[in-house]
Amino acid sequence: MTTKLDYYDILGILVPGILLMCWIPVCFPGTICLVEFPSLPNGFDVLALTALAVFVGHVVQACASMAEPILYWTWCGRPSDRALRDGLGSRYFPPETARRIREKLEPAVGPEATASSMFLFAMHRAEGASQGRVSRFNSLYAYHRGLFVLLVVATLMLLGSIFWGCAASWGGLTRLVVFGSMALLCLLAWHRTKQRAFYYVREVLLAAESRIDEAKTTTTSVRKEGS
């Protein structure tokens, strides 16, 4: 089965789906008693649970996609727009690099084009470049974005469990430690998702620049041969 799935399907879909399915009975053990599983042939129950994990994972990713505007707001703007406008800081994408690439994109897109239009053009130019690095960076960003949303949902479920689930029987210190740990994990996942978004944007723009430079070199060579 895994030969039919790429690593994005495994990491971005199955992992959040399985983790959320395991977390629900941890917070609300009574949910197991609400569902009666029919007697299934050997091995079929594994396939059924895998299919359910895939479905839940897709729901998590859909929620993560809907949450992107909120993430962009916490990151002080869409990373692709920030990268082409001011850069992403010296660690990820310095301003001088942003200026250099923007000057190469403007002749193709137009000087009046917005940063979003330039980045869409760069995505098209970067397609197939860097031996699939752009696709891998995008997949890793989506994976971490899904993990962040998963942790937020898990934290909210834990909060609900304190009032209506098994966590209601925990001691005050236990609740504080577990809830604080979940909050720290959310913060860590938020930061890592931000990093992955920056890396993806950087990879797209650098790959697009490489393709533009290659096209210019090829054109120059053809003109020299023609003359």
Side-chain angles (χ1 to χ4, degrees):
M1 180 178 178
T2 55
T3 57
K4 301 297 183 180
L5 300 173
D6 60 21
Y7 70 94
Y8 168 70
D9 294 313
I10 296 174
L11 293 180
I13 302 299
L14 278 178
V15 171
I18 292 174
L19 290 178
L20 186 57
M21 287 175 57
C22 293
W23 186 248
I24 292 175
V26 170
C27 293
F28 305 99
T31 56
I32 299 179
C33 302
L34 296 177
V35 181
E36 279 190 26
F37 290 96
S39 179
L40 300 174
N42 292 335
F44 190 80
D45 52 348
V46 176
L47 293 177
L49 289 173
T50 301
L52 181 59
V54 170
F55 173 76
V56 173
H58 277 291
V59 172
V60 171
Q61 283 295 347
C63 294
S65 180
M66 294 173 61
E68 268 196 332
I70 300 175
L71 283 172
Y72 293 159
W73 177 76
T74 62
W75 297 340
C76 301
R78 185 188 296 267
S80 57
D81 293 348
R82 288 182 54 193
L84 285 169
R85 187 173 57 247
D86 305 312
L88 298 172
S90 57
R91 177 180 178 182
Y92 302 103
F93 202 71
E96 58 271 18
T97 303
R99 183 167 53 252
R100 184 188 73 235
I101 295 179
R102 187 170 61 247
E103 289 174 354
K104 294 180 181 180
L105 291 173
E106 283 180 351
V109 186
E112 302 298 326
T114 63
S116 297
S117 297
M118 289 186 183
F119 188 74
L120 287 174
F121 177 80
M123 288 176 61
H124 178 72
R125 295 293 295 174
E127 187 70 27
S130 304
Q131 298 180 344
R133 280 173 55 88
V134 171
S135 177
R136 287 196 296 272
F137 274 72
N138 185 31
S139 298
L140 286 171
Y141 161 62
Y143 167 62
H144 284 84
R145 183 189 63 188
L147 281 186
F148 169 71
V149 171
L150 172 66
L151 284 168
V152 171
V153 171
T155 303
L156 293 175
M157 290 176 60
L158 177 63
L159 184 62
S161 179
I162 292 176
F163 295 98
W164 305 291
C166 67
S169 60
W170 296 354
L173 181 60
T174 303
R175 295 180 188 177
L176 182 62
V177 170
V178 175
F179 189 80
S181 299
M182 293 295 296
L184 288 175
L185 285 175
C186 288
L187 182 61
L188 180 62
W190 172 86
H191 177 69
R192 191 58 174 163
T193 304
K194 177 182 177 181
Q195 284 185 318
R196 284 299 174 184
F198 285 5
Y199 290 147
Y200 166 64
V201 169
R202 181 180 67 183
E203 190 65 28
V204 167
L205 294 176
L206 290 177
E209 180 188 33
S210 177
R211 293 293 294 271
I212 291 173
D213 291 341
E214 289 175 4
K216 287 183 179 179
T217 302
T218 303
T219 302
T220 302
S221 300
V222 171
R223 288 178 179 175
K224 287 182 179 179
E225 292 177 359
S227 61

